[in-house]
Amino acid sequence: EAGVAQSPRYKIIEKRQSVAFWCNPISGHATLYWYQQILGQGPKLLIQFQNNGVVDDSQLPKDRFSAERLKGVDSTLKIQPAKLEDSAVYLCASSLGSGIQETQYFGPGTRLLVL
Amino acid sequence: AQSVTQLDSHVSVSEGTPVLLRCNYSSSYSPSLFWYVQHPNKGLQLLLKYTSAATLVKGINGFEAEFKKSETSFHLTKPSAHMSDAAEYFCVVTAYNFNKFYFGSGTKLNVKP
């Protein structure tokens, strides 16, 4: 079974530029998550989708971050404009459903460096 | 509210000796609890999970964890460390609704030969 795919794996940009990350979840997984993991910290949830609807985006900085999940499968996370403090690893995860016992499966992440 | 405290940011053990990684949680509901491992430049991999069944949970690679409600703890153990266990370990507690994960800050395990 294929895992969660993410691209690109690495990205270096200047501050104020824009960047986009792509995620393809495990086939059949209805729930998709984007996390931000700053160096030395645990991942922090940015946004959670159930199919193509948003169920939690309370920690997404909406003035610069946006995400969409068209057709309930692939998802894109965008940052525009980027700030230095956005340097982090962006992790995508998926789960079959959103029940409390569901396991989340993580992709390898995209490492972003903002200069 | 849900939260997780991993009591040690770094743990160093010798190969063949026991491993103990400590985790305390806070939850308004009966929680689900997970341990994930993250090897350098790799994604997070599930080690084990507790979901209100047996309090002693066995996971992959010889790891296990015991849920202790009275102590609000979910410590991860392994009888004998292997060099390949060197990685960062995250304890996770979930919220009641929509399976929102709350991660601890992580414990880096170093295994000395």
Side-chain angles (χ1 to χ4, degrees):
Chain A
E1 179 183 84
V4 177
Q6 290 187 248
S7 67
R9 292 294 311 274
Y10 304 92
K11 190 75 177 179
I12 301 174
I13 62 172
E14 302 274 336
K15 61 182 179 183
R16 291 188 288 274
Q17 285 186 324
S18 63
V19 64
F21 312 127
W22 173 82
C23 173
N24 181 235
I26 293 173
S27 177
H29 280 197
T31 311
L32 185 145
Y33 315 78
W34 282 103
Y35 290 85
Q36 180 191 58
Q37 185 177 15
I38 292 172
L39 189 65
Q41 300 180 17
K44 180 185 80 172
L45 180 70
L46 291 175
I47 188 166
Q48 178 179 347
F49 293 93
Q50 181 74 15
N51 295 309
N52 60 350
V54 175
V55 297
D56 187 345
D57 62 358
S58 55
Q59 296 199 85
L60 187 74
K62 298 181 187 60
D63 57 333
R64 299 183 300 105
F65 286 65
S66 64
E68 59 182 8
R69 191 183 184 198
L70 299 176
K71 301 181 182 178
V73 182
D74 293 7
S75 178
T76 303
L77 176 70
K78 295 179 181 176
I79 308 175
Q80 183 179 14
K83 293 185 175 181
L84 296 177
E85 58 260 36
D86 298 332
S87 294
V89 177
Y90 290 86
L91 296 165
C92 180
S94 70
S95 62
L96 202 55
S98 58
I100 192 172
Q101 300 182 4
E102 293 282 351
T103 297
Q104 293 185 22
Y105 298 89
F106 287 80
T110 296
R111 188 175 298 273
L112 173 68
L113 179 60
V114 182
L115 301 175
Chain B
Q2 281 70 31
S3 67
V4 170
T5 301
Q6 290 184 243
L7 298 160
D8 306 292
S9 58
H10 290 82
V11 169
S12 185
V13 301
S14 297
E15 191 174 21
T17 65
V19 176
L20 170 64
L21 305 182
R22 298 183 294 165
C23 171
N24 286 98
Y25 71 91
S26 171
S27 177
S28 306
Y29 306 96
S30 295
S32 289
L33 292 155
F34 301 73
W35 276 98
Y36 281 81
V37 61
Q38 188 174 37
H39 290 275
N41 299 316
K42 297 282 182 66
L44 288 152
Q45 180 186 16
L46 178 69
L47 275 179
L48 51 80
K49 69 178 183 181
Y50 165 78
T51 56
S52 75
T55 57
L56 182 62
V57 182
K58 294 188 184 300
I60 62 171
N61 301 333
F63 284 95
E64 62 182 37
E66 186 172 7
F67 174 72
K68 292 187 176 180
K69 186 175 181 179
S70 60
E71 298 176 10
T72 61
S73 69
F74 190 58
H75 301 335
L76 182 70
T77 60
K78 183 173 180 179
S80 177
H82 191 273
M83 294 298 292
S84 60
D85 295 328
E88 189 160 20
Y89 293 78
F90 291 94
C91 183
V92 179
V93 65
T94 62
Y96 179 74
N97 57 323
F98 296 116
N99 200 30
K100 185 171 181 176
F101 272 25
Y102 293 87
F103 281 80
S105 53
T107 298
K108 288 186 178 174
L109 175 65
N110 178 45
V111 182
K112 299 175 288 187

